[in-house]
Amino acid sequence: MVRLAPLRAATDETLVQELLRYVRFSDEDARLLRALRPLAAPHFERIATAFYDRIREHDDAHDVFTGEEQIKRLQGSMVRWMDRLCAGPHDEAYFKKTLEIGRIHVQIGLPQRYMFTAMALIRVELLRVVDDTMGEESRACREALDRALDLELAFMLEGYRDHFLARTQQRERLERAEVDLALRRTEHRYVSAVELARVLVVGLDREGKIRLFNREAERVTGLGREEVIGAPFHEALLPEGLRDEQAGLLHALLEGRESRATLDDVESAVRTRAGKIRDVRFQFAYAPGDDDDIVLFAVGRDTTDENALAVRLRQNEKLAAVGTLAAGLAHEIRNPLNGAQLHVTFLERGLRKSGADGDQLEAVHIVGEEIKRLGKLVSEFLDFARPKPLELRPTSVHAVCERASKLVEARAIQTGVTLALELPATELVLDLDTPKIQQVLLNLLQNAVEALQPTGGGAVTLRARRRPRDVVIEVEDDGPGLSSPDAPIFDPFFSTKPEGTGLGLAIVHRIVTDHGGMIDVDSHPGRTVFRVSLPVRLGAHGAESNTGKILA
């Protein structure tokens, strides 16, 4: 690894040439990398995908990203970087771009250690390509690639260090100028009552600017106190949808227009560094001090997981109550329906023999079809009311998705819908009840295709991806969306289809929650996404390592 002296604010050509000579990077090395470029280019996208699949497995690395769109952009940037690494030219402009990569890593909050591990993964993959493609020149090309990657990492680290140092100095200046006196005066009380508390504690001055931001607030939001001290509370922390509403309440408290000095249980939310929303229940307390440095305390408790659990419990209670009713109703209806179907069939056969007219036959046929529809409804009642225990086994998520896609393919083609499958390069294996998860995906895919039928076509995408603690499977369509984003679509007997029973998504919800997972929907005109999250258990990790026994 090359050890570089600190770089000046802007690199110059003399310094770049000096570093190139220091690692003995020659014109021959540049030629070998250019020769490698067309041979390695087909592998760049695979390497970038594998790298970000690995990132998904680690909380502190994955949490810095705002979403899948950003990850896709970064994958594209990595492909372009590998191409630039081979193509050169390795001059001043080239290494200025490398310095910028280090600066961006600090900006998004990526821990420095991942720069080393990322380079190790890329190095191994590219050296493998060299060994497979460069023939007699492979040894020389390996050395050239090592030199180039060492230079890249050295410049990235230098850019990371410079930008990180600037942020650290900014924080130190801020602490010296604004916080040091208050910390010295209240150090013991602050550490014991504020810093170690498992609640968010935010102190505001008379202008509503943040002057105190404790450790729990940093943990929940992902923001460092040096980033928010001095910023208005509603702009720094509140999501856009709550800013106008709660900014008025905040100003009323700060100006003494709110009659109560303490306001309890204000349901609110905070926006994290990664752009996610966390539910928070705040208590606001007006408590001005001698110097009025802090006049209002916002003490909050993160209720995101609690609220999600409450929603799941309410849904399960609904399902249990309706299931009991459905079981009794289905039992009472099934036998009369079977008898009615038998007699309708007998009547239709008799009318045909007697030469009855078409209207009579049509009427009998309609009665028979309606009885069949009721029979199907009764069967769905029973499936919903008497779910069988899960039979878990190691299951390939790729295989389940591919099979579900194939089963819906004919219907999609008939409807004019394009069906796409997006699966990660790394195999995903979970402990699942395979037929039931298959039923979940079929139901969601069929609903997506049916939603596009009135429009004459469209696109449906089935994708899966790994996150640190779960696997997410999404079904997305570009149809008109739900009529109302608040519609209780997972409640039994709620349906947007004229002929629907309203049990399909209720059964889907039950299967997913029985697996310990969650399902939600994000819908607006032009894009609807059903998102199923299934937990990764230790058993699934064991199955992943035992690839010879993966079951579909």
Side-chain angles (χ1 to χ4, degrees):
M1 182 66 62
V2 179
R3 178 68 177 173
L4 298 181
L7 293 183
R8 295 185 288 276
T11 60
D12 56 51
E13 186 175 357
T14 302
L15 179 58
V16 170
Q17 292 301 323
E18 179 184 343
L19 294 173
L20 290 172
R21 288 195 303 270
Y22 187 82
V23 297
R24 301 294 191 269
F25 189 90
S26 65
D27 292 341
E28 176 62 11
D29 291 329
R31 183 194 69 79
L32 288 167
L33 291 179
R34 288 195 298 272
L36 174 65
R37 181 187 181 191
L39 302 173
H43 301 274
F44 290 163
E45 188 170 345
R46 172 183 60 79
I47 294 171
T49 301
F51 170 72
Y52 281 98
D53 282 347
R54 186 80 57 84
I55 282 286
R56 299 175 200 278
E57 300 179 24
H58 300 278
D59 283 328
D60 50 355
H62 183 272
D63 285 348
V64 305
F65 300 118
T66 59
E68 288 302 309
E69 291 300 321
Q70 185 192 26
I71 290 178
K72 286 184 178 179
R73 290 196 302 272
L74 291 172
Q75 285 182 198
S77 297
M78 180 173 284
V79 169
R80 291 190 294 274
W81 171 77
M82 286 186 282
D83 186 77
R84 184 170 66 89
L85 174 71
C86 294
H90 302 84
D91 54 12
E92 179 186 358
Y94 177 95
F95 287 109
K96 278 186 178 180
K97 292 182 179 179
T98 303
L99 280 170
E100 181 69 10
I101 294 174
R103 187 192 68 78
I104 291 173
H105 286 166
V106 175
Q107 192 173 32
I108 67 174
L110 183 69
Q112 189 181 41
R113 60 184 178 272
Y114 286 102
M115 295 173 66
F116 289 95
T117 53
M119 194 64 75
L121 185 149
I122 294 167
R123 186 188 302 267
V124 168
E125 292 293 335
L126 289 177
L127 288 176
R128 189 173 294 153
V129 173
V130 170
D131 291 340
D132 291 341
T133 61
M134 290 298 289
E136 295 180 355
E137 291 188 309
S138 61
R139 179 175 178 179
C141 188
R142 285 175 66 94
E143 294 178 356
L145 184 60
D146 275 334
R147 294 187 186 102
L149 289 176
D150 283 348
L151 279 169
E152 285 284 331
L153 184 56
F155 274 87
M156 286 182 194
L157 291 174
E158 201 69 19
Y160 189 104
R161 194 209 63 174
D162 288 348
H163 196 67
F164 187 82
L165 182 60
R167 283 188 54 178
T168 302
Q169 290 171 343
Q170 178 186 1
R171 179 170 183 164
E172 290 174 351
R173 288 193 300 270
L174 179 65
E175 289 177 343
R176 284 195 301 270
E178 300 185 34
V179 183
D180 280 355
L181 179 61
L183 286 177
R184 285 195 300 271
R185 188 171 58 228
T186 62
E187 182 176 0
H188 176 71
R189 181 173 56 189
Y190 179 85
V191 171
S192 59
V194 177
E195 195 64 23
L196 301 180
R198 296 298 292 176
V199 292
L200 294 81
V201 180
V202 184
L204 310 180
D205 63 16
R206 288 199 177 276
E207 296 180 356
K209 294 181 179 180
I210 298 172
R211 298 300 175 190
L212 177 66
F213 201 69
N214 77 334
R215 188 181 304 169
E216 181 69 0
E218 287 186 312
R219 186 191 69 81
V220 171
T221 65
L223 297 169
R225 65 191 64 177
E226 77 280 2
E227 299 177 81
V228 298
I229 294 292
F233 174 84
H234 62 285
E235 292 181 7
L237 298 182
L238 295 184
E240 289 187 10
L242 290 176
R243 286 181 186 175
D244 293 340
E245 172 190 343
Q246 298 196 351
L249 171 63
L250 193 66
H251 289 145
L253 283 167
L254 291 168
E255 295 171 5
R257 290 186 283 111
E258 172 60 48
S259 59
R260 291 168 291 175
T262 301
L263 200 61
D264 295 335
D265 292 334
V266 177
E267 294 293 338
S268 185
V270 296
R271 187 185 69 253
T272 70
R273 173 192 283 278
K276 299 174 183 177
I277 306 300
R278 303 289 297 181
D279 297 330
V280 175
R281 184 178 293 129
F282 275 114
Q283 173 183 326
F284 291 98
Y286 183 70
D290 294 337
D291 55 5
D292 284 352
D293 180 42
I294 295 178
V295 300
L296 185 68
F297 287 93
V299 181
R301 183 166 61 89
D302 186 351
T303 59
T304 306
D305 296 336
E306 176 185 320
N307 292 343
L309 178 60
V311 170
R312 290 175 62 181
L313 289 175
R314 287 195 297 270
Q315 182 70 11
N316 288 339
E317 288 171 358
K318 288 182 184 179
L319 296 179
V322 175
T324 302
L325 173 64
L329 185 63
H331 179 74
E332 294 297 326
I333 292 176
R334 171 170 277 185
N335 289 337
L337 278 180
N338 290 338
Q341 181 65 53
L342 180 64
H343 283 78
V344 166
T345 302
F346 177 77
L347 178 61
E348 184 177 12
R349 188 181 302 120
L351 288 173
R352 290 185 184 280
K353 288 182 178 179
S354 64
D357 61 42
D359 290 341
Q360 291 175 324
L361 289 172
E362 178 66 18
V364 173
H365 177 72
I366 291 173
V367 172
E369 289 300 313
E370 289 301 303
I371 291 175
K372 288 180 182 178
R373 191 172 71 85
L374 287 174
K376 180 181 177 183
L377 179 60
V378 169
S379 296
E380 290 189 1
F381 279 174
L382 290 174
D383 288 342
F384 174 73
R386 299 172 181 170
K388 297 178 182 178
L390 297 180
E391 296 181 7
L392 301 177
R393 58 177 182 170
T395 302
S396 165
V397 175
H398 291 63
V400 173
C401 291
E402 288 168 355
R403 183 175 299 170
S405 177
K406 286 186 179 297
L407 290 174
V408 180
E409 187 176 18
R411 176 69 183 277
I413 294 173
Q414 182 182 5
T415 314
V417 171
T418 301
L419 192 60
L421 197 60
E422 295 181 6
L423 300 176
T426 305
E427 182 69 62
L428 301 176
V429 180
L430 299 178
D431 284 345
L432 303 175
D433 187 315
T434 308
K436 289 188 176 181
I437 293 298
Q438 191 86 57
Q439 181 182 355
V440 167
L441 297 185
L442 282 174
N443 189 296
L444 297 178
L445 286 170
Q446 288 169 353
N447 284 352
V449 171
E450 290 173 5
L452 292 170
Q453 189 169 357
T455 66
V460 173
T461 301
L462 173 60
R463 68 172 63 90
R465 64 178 185 273
R466 173 70 187 270
R467 295 195 301 199
R469 293 191 177 97
D470 56 14
V471 168
V472 177
I473 303 175
E474 294 180 342
V475 176
E476 177 180 341
D477 69 73
D478 58 357
L482 297 175
S483 56
S484 170
D486 300 323
I489 59 174
F490 298 112
D491 283 0
F493 308 117
F494 178 87
S495 178
T496 58
K497 306 174 188 176
E499 301 294 326
T501 64
L503 287 174
L505 287 178
I507 293 172
V508 163
H509 185 278
R510 166 169 279 172
I511 292 172
V512 172
T513 54
D514 284 350
H515 279 79
M518 297 181 63
I519 181 170
D520 58 61
V521 62
D522 178 15
S523 181
H524 54 77
R527 184 175 184 266
T528 296
V529 182
F530 280 85
R531 188 174 294 105
V532 175
S533 302
L534 297 171
V536 175
R537 299 184 179 89
L538 290 177
H541 284 298
E544 286 179 354
S545 63
N546 190 6
T547 55
K549 295 184 179 180
I550 294 175
L551 302 175

